[in-house]
Structure formats: structure tokens, C-alpha cells
Amino acid sequence: MKYDRAYFDTHVNRKGTRSVKWDAGPVTCDEDLPMWVADWDFACAEPILEAVRERAEHPCLGYNCSDPADEQSFCDYWQRHHRLTIAPKQTFMMPCVVTGLKLAVRVFTAPGDGVVIMPPVYGPFRNSVVINGRTPYEAPLSRDEAGRYHLDFAAVEAMLQKGARCILFCNPHNPVSRAWSREELQRLVDLANQYSAVLVSDEIHADFVYQPAIFHSMLSMDGAEKCVVTFAAASKTFNVPGIQQAMAISFNEELLQKIAHEADCAGVTSGNTFALAATQAAYTACDDWRSGMLAYLEESRQIIMRELPRLLPRAVVSPIEATALCWIDLRAYAPTMDEIMARLKRHHLVLNNGTFFGELGNGFVRMNFACPHDRLHEGLRRLAAAMTEE
Ligand SMILES: Cc1ncc(COP(=O)(O)O)c(C=O)c1O
């Protein structure tokens, strides 16, 4: 199979597949174009589908035992793509990354404690804190005139001084599409160590970083072995979030053990039959699909940067350094978020409401651009029509 432009240009009908993106929530009629939830409208790589089919051919679906090749395939993948050496014993498998965020909040803090988050940020960060009876200590990102976001180290330090002992961080960042630099990440690790805090780094978007930026794992910083726990998954890279498998990684055995123990206490087990087969295939046999998709998304990102300023000159797209998501400031076109969403609805375009990422997202939308290019053009056209309607 050739994973070229024609492959990613192909439309796959996802309706009626119990798809959150296509069958649920704000999608209410056939005309709606969903460009919201972060899964991609691309067919999975053939080796993944083949691995699932092959497993389904066996008539028994009993309990699995673990196979060291599962963890090893993850470690080899990270070595190959991110130059990071991880040993299988430094990993712990879990159902999904959000499970990890929630477990981390529970084991690294006590009820009522503060947990640092840096909005605007993926909604479940805040929810993981609040639902567990902890308090979000916000150190908002700052935004420059070009719409690029920056860490506010003074605000992070103020929250640590206020007593927070856990930081939830998104690397690369959803929704503002930042690929953080080594210097920025190192300063965070230094701060975490200075205040004896645990730094939790969600690296689910690690593979989606566009040149000239490169991805740096928080685990590769000096001092990371003391304070960093990272979560990663094949789910975004290979478009398999429905199979539900992710990994916690730490070079600090005690931190990893705490997560594993809490998972055990809650009866959270991992390694479902099909997820194991699919994930191992993803990590071992799909590098060609991965590079085809990244080349395609590089073109998608150029389409957005070229077309949006032409169609909507007063919208501000944050520079897309990473992820398959873009963050668009529409405040110049509509007075309120409700008005923005109402207009999008009238034009049958489904985007994420910016406030899902915190109050700082008021007036913004997030667009998922991992779809065939003609659909992306249509989404941009609808966005422009919605924002300029009389
Ligand atoms: C930053 C980030 N973390 C976690 C998730 C969800 O991951 P999972 O499905 O493994 O819980 C997403 C999904 O969009 C995400 O963007």
C-alpha cells in the first residue's frame, strides 16, 4: 500500500460507526461538517487493520497474558523517532492518556491541593483536577500579537509558591499548536525540582511537530529523572483512539509505582486483546503511514496559513508548530462566543468552542485539520461564510 497524497485525499464514510466526531454531540444533521474532536478522517494503516483481523480470526477471546514485545515495541519506536532511550520497566500500560492524568492528580496530590494548569489547555486537564476534588491553580499562557503563545514562568512559580506540588503540562500543546523549545521545557523541570513538584507531561501529540521545530520530550531534560511522568500513546499518531491503549513513562521508579498502585486500587487494567494487537502493529510496521500522514498534514497546514488570511483577514491563527489542530481567534468578527457558535451552526460547520479549553478560549475556535484537503477547503469556506454573514 502506498501512503501518498491520493491515499489521504480519499474520503472514508464514518457515519454510523459510533463515531463521536461524526455521529454524536453537536453533529445533528447530514449537512454538518465535523472538524472538532481530535481524531482523523484517514483510514488506518493496513498492518493495524490486518493485525486486528488476524486476531479476530481466532475463535477464542479469553484473557490475555502480557507479552514483553508490547512494551519493547513502544520503547523501540520512541528510540527511533524521538532519540529517547526508555526501558520497558520504565513504562506502565493504561487504557488512555486521560486515565493517566486523573491517576496522576490522585496520587501526587491530596484532596483540596492545588494543581498547576496552563490554560488555554485541553479541557480534561482542568476536569481531571476538579473531578478529583483538587483546585486548579492557573498559570495562563501569554499570547503575543502574532497569536503565538508563551509560558509564563513567573505565574508557574507563583502557583508553586502558593503550594501546588503537581503540574499538568501539554507537550506539544493542544489547542495552541506550540512545539515547546528545549529551553522552555528545561526551565519547567528546574522549577518542578526546585519546589519538589511532580511534572506530568502529556506527550500524546509528540509525533506532530512541523519543521523547523522539533519535538523534545520532557523526559530528555536534565533532572527529569527526579520529577517527570509522561503519558504517550499510538492513538493520535496512527488514528486509533478507539482502541484505548496508552503508556505512562517515568525514569523515577517511585513515581511510576504510585501510578501503577492507584490503577490497581481502582481496578484499572489494560491490555485488551485487540488494542494490544493494533498497537504493536502500529509501533512496528507503520512508519511509512506515519511519514505519509505527516507530509500530508504539512500541506494542510500550508493551506490554512495561505487561505485563512485571504478569506478572513481579521482572524488570527496561532502559528501551527505542532498537532493537527489549529487555534483561531475570531473576536474581530463576532461579539460573543454564542454568536460565533450560532453562525457556525447555520453554516453547518462543527468546530470546538474555545471555552472547552478554559475561559481564555472565549472568542476562539479549534479546528481539526486532519481530513482530506478538499474537505479542509470546504471547512475554511464555511468558516469564512459564517463569520462574514450579513
Ligand atoms: C493533549 C491530549 N491529551 C489526551 C487526549 C486524549 O487521549 P486519550 O484518548 O488517550 O485519553 C487528547 C485527545 O484529543 C489530547 O489532545
Side-chain angles (χ1 to χ4, degrees):
M1 180 77 79
K2 228 174 143 207
Y3 301 120
D4 55 7
R5 187 187 291 123
Y7 177 91
F8 293 99
D9 272 344
T10 304
H11 285 220
V12 181
N13 182 4
R14 303 183 58 193
K15 275 198 172 291
T17 60
R18 289 205 183 94
S19 156
V20 169
K21 186 179 182 182
W22 283 84
D23 294 324
V27 179
T28 52
C29 64
D30 281 351
E31 291 79 50
D32 284 348
L33 176 56
M35 299 180 78
W36 63 304
V37 174
D39 71 20
W40 323 141
D41 294 334
F42 303 136
C44 288
E46 191 52 33
I48 295 176
L49 301 174
E50 194 47 46
V52 173
R53 279 187 212 111
E54 194 182 302
R55 183 61 190 84
E57 284 300 318
H58 194 285
C60 296
L61 296 170
Y63 289 115
N64 304 300
C65 60
S66 71
D67 176 349
D70 291 317
E71 280 81 4
Q72 191 60 53
S73 67
F74 170 83
C75 297
D76 292 346
Y77 179 90
W78 271 64
Q79 181 75 64
R80 198 158 73 244
H81 292 289
H82 302 306
R83 309 160 307 282
L84 190 69
T85 305
I86 303 168
K89 67 175 187 336
Q90 292 166 328
T91 68
F92 177 73
M93 202 181 283
M94 52 186 41
C96 69
V97 166
V98 172
T99 314
L101 295 174
K102 290 180 172 165
L103 291 173
V105 165
R106 293 173 68 83
V107 292
F108 301 133
T109 64
D113 281 357
V115 178
V116 183
I117 58 169
M118 296 169 220
V121 70
Y122 179 56
F125 275 50
R126 186 186 180 85
N127 173 265
S128 298
V129 176
V130 173
I131 203 167
N132 280 301
R134 276 66 166 174
T135 311
Y137 279 12
E138 296 196 356
L141 301 175
S142 64
R143 181 172 178 274
D144 64 25
E145 282 189 0
R148 189 168 189 254
Y149 283 78
H150 304 271
L151 293 173
D152 182 342
F153 292 102
V156 173
E157 182 158 18
M159 292 303 127
L160 292 167
Q161 280 167 349
K162 203 173 145 188
R165 289 296 167 266
C166 181
I167 302 170
L168 299 186
F169 187 66
C170 196
N171 174 37
H173 194 93
N174 169 11
V176 307
S177 328
R178 261 305 308 274
W180 305 108
S181 69
R182 255 203 110 70
E183 292 68 34
E184 289 169 308
L185 299 179
Q186 186 62 60
R187 278 183 77 179
L188 268 188
V189 170
D190 292 345
L191 274 175
N193 279 330
Q194 186 184 338
Y195 288 90
S196 304
V198 177
L199 178 50
V200 174
S201 183
D202 174 342
E203 301 188 352
I204 197 167
H205 294 284
D207 290 308
F208 300 83
V209 172
Y210 305 100
Q211 284 177 356
I214 54 168
F215 169 71
H216 302 283
S217 174
M218 196 72 86
L219 289 162
S220 67
M221 300 299 129
D222 292 338
E225 68 287 354
K226 294 199 196 84
C227 63
V228 174
V229 174
T230 284
F231 296 113
S235 57
K236 297 285 168 223
T237 307
F238 297 101
N239 201 26
V240 289
I243 60 129
Q244 299 268 287
Q245 184 168 307
M247 207 62 112
I249 312 109
S250 183
F251 297 153
N252 181 324
E253 197 182 333
E254 194 188 328
L255 297 182
L256 198 63
Q257 273 316 310
K258 281 189 175 169
I259 298 260
H261 180 71
E262 184 71 8
D264 195 13
C265 290
V268 175
T269 57
S270 298
N272 91 64
T273 305
F274 294 108
L276 289 170
T279 305
Q280 201 185 116
Y283 282 138
T284 55
C286 299
D287 282 6
D288 53 350
W289 190 94
R290 176 190 188 272
S291 40
M293 178 197 58
L294 291 175
Y296 193 80
L297 291 180
E298 171 60 46
E299 290 180 2
S300 313
R301 149 180 114 117
Q302 285 171 20
I303 291 170
I304 295 166
M305 292 318 226
R306 188 179 66 237
E307 292 299 309
L308 205 56
R310 194 177 65 74
L311 293 166
L312 280 179
R314 287 181 291 137
V316 182
V317 194
S318 292
I320 307 167
E321 300 172 354
T323 79
L325 310 162
C326 66
W327 184 240
I328 310 171
D329 178 359
L330 296 173
R331 289 173 296 177
Y333 288 97
T336 63
M337 196 72 236
D338 284 349
E339 173 69 16
I340 291 171
M341 296 313 286
R343 290 199 205 172
L344 291 175
K345 180 106 198 106
R346 281 198 288 279
H347 290 263
H348 295 294
L349 179 61
V350 184
L351 304 179
N352 284 96
N353 181 322
T355 58
F356 175 69
F357 307 92
E359 272 314 304
L360 286 169
N362 209 335
F364 293 71
V365 290
R366 190 192 72 175
M367 177 184 263
N368 171 354
F369 60 83
C371 60
H373 287 160
D374 61 347
R375 194 176 280 160
L376 173 59
H377 280 289
E378 174 61 14
L380 293 171
R381 192 197 63 72
R382 291 188 195 192
L383 176 62
M387 290 307 116
T388 54
E389 79 175 18
E390 293 300 319

